Amino acid sequence: MAGVSLQCGDCGALLKSVEEAQQHAELTSHSNFSESTEPVLNLVCTTCNKPCRSKTESELHTKRTGHADFVDRTAEATKQISLEAPKPDLGSEEGAGASTTNQVDSEEMIIPEVDCKLLEELEAMGFPKGRATRALHFSGNASLEAAVNWVVEHENDPDIDQMPLVSGNTKSEAPKPSPTPEEVKMKAQELRERARKKKEEEEKRMEREREKERIRVGKELLEAKRIEEENERKRILALRKAEKEEEKRAREKIRQKLEEDKAERRRKLGLPPEDPATIKPAAPVVDEKKTMLPIKPAIKAEQMRECLRSLKHNCKDDDARVKRAFQTLLTYIGNVAKNPDEEKFRKIRLSNASFQDRVGSLKGGIEFLELCGFGKLDGGEFLFLPGENVDMGVLNSAGSELTSAINNPFFGVL
């Protein structure tokens, strides 16, 4: 296969033509070149159209710019290399120019003079000597900052670490005088002051952002608390309304029972049924707060109280066992109220020896849990309270009744 590039035997670089090989030799002093069948890559960035000659160069371009898509146009640009250097036409202007160029190229090449102190500072920062010298030379020995900026802009150049060479007849510009210690100290102080101000501005900006975030979170918490309190108020109103309705039905049921008993007594005495026309109008319903009738609403709180009375009556000779049962029930109810989403607190194994000793074997204990929403599961093996049946109002009432029963020494005496 015909050669399509020249490969440097010293560094392995691929070159497209004899001219590039000559330039490479002048810059690096490498002289070992051979013909290669491996073409010089032509990877073109699809974003900015920058050509890259190697995978390494494309990776550096991606790292610096973030562009990752390249089109391989190596086959389009690959040509068989000619090992003959072009001969200049001495009779033309181009030939004269080429002759002049060859004459300049034949001159002695030397390393340009640069500011020694700036060079030492760049080397102390970790830059290779060749890269530091090249940066100072091409930045005009202006300053350390200018040299660093030049390195950043040309970090992808293939010859970035090679020592620059200039014609021996060309006098390089005299380096600028080195700054005095006082000037260096003032410059360092200025840089530190600038960095301090920038840091203070950044801290102030971050503090403003944090303050805005605290205000936003505070508003959200206040709004959530307001919504929670509103929902609790509505729930309490609905509960009171339901209790009043239940009490009203209970009074009506008692009134009907009294009427039936009255009619039954008249029948046993042989009296005729009472004429509806002679029945006196019923007394107006007395307000709940002013009534003196010993009628209590048949609500769950009363039923829970009856279960606890029954439990204490059946163990009236063992106050310690009664108190332990009340405390165990309070623990079950408190765990569910604090962790309504935890299934382990809503499931009780009936065959558990500790549960049977404390609650299960006592009359009224399981009935109390059933009033709180627990139901038997798996053929009576477990007591289980489904998550959707958790009623915080009922659990709070149960906790209040248990606390009263524990703290009241006269509970269940009557």
Side-chain angles (χ1 to χ4, degrees), residues 52 205 293 356 410:
C52 298
R205 187 186 65 81
L293 294 176
Q356 284 294 327
F410 302 104

Side-chain angles (χ1 to χ4, degrees), residues 106-136:
S106 63
E107 296 177 355
E108 183 182 0
M109 307 297 288
I110 62 173
I111 299 174
E113 295 182 2
V114 295
D115 191 317
C116 296
K117 287 192 175 182
L118 294 179
L119 180 62
E120 292 177 0
E121 291 182 14
L122 287 173
E123 289 181 340
M125 293 171 66
F127 293 107
K129 185 173 182 180
R131 183 178 298 195
T133 304
R134 181 174 289 270
L136 289 171

Side-chain angles (χ1 to χ4, degrees), residues 311-345:
L311 191 152
K312 185 165 185 177
H313 288 165
N314 284 274
C315 299
K316 58 184 178 180
D317 297 330
D318 193 348
D319 292 339
R321 187 176 185 186
V322 171
K323 188 173 183 179
R324 185 178 61 179
F326 289 170
Q327 291 175 341
T328 302
L329 289 172
L330 185 61
T331 300
Y332 284 134
I333 300 304
N335 287 338
V336 176
K338 294 176 182 177
N339 307 277
D341 297 330
E342 292 288 341
E343 183 177 340
K344 64 180 182 179
F345 295 124

Side-chain angles (χ1 to χ4, degrees), residues 58-77:
S58 65
E59 290 173 358
L60 289 173
H61 180 69
T62 300
K63 183 178 180 181
R64 185 169 60 87
T65 64
H67 303 164
D69 295 331
F70 295 87
V71 177
D72 191 352
R73 295 180 180 173
T74 304
E76 301 175 7

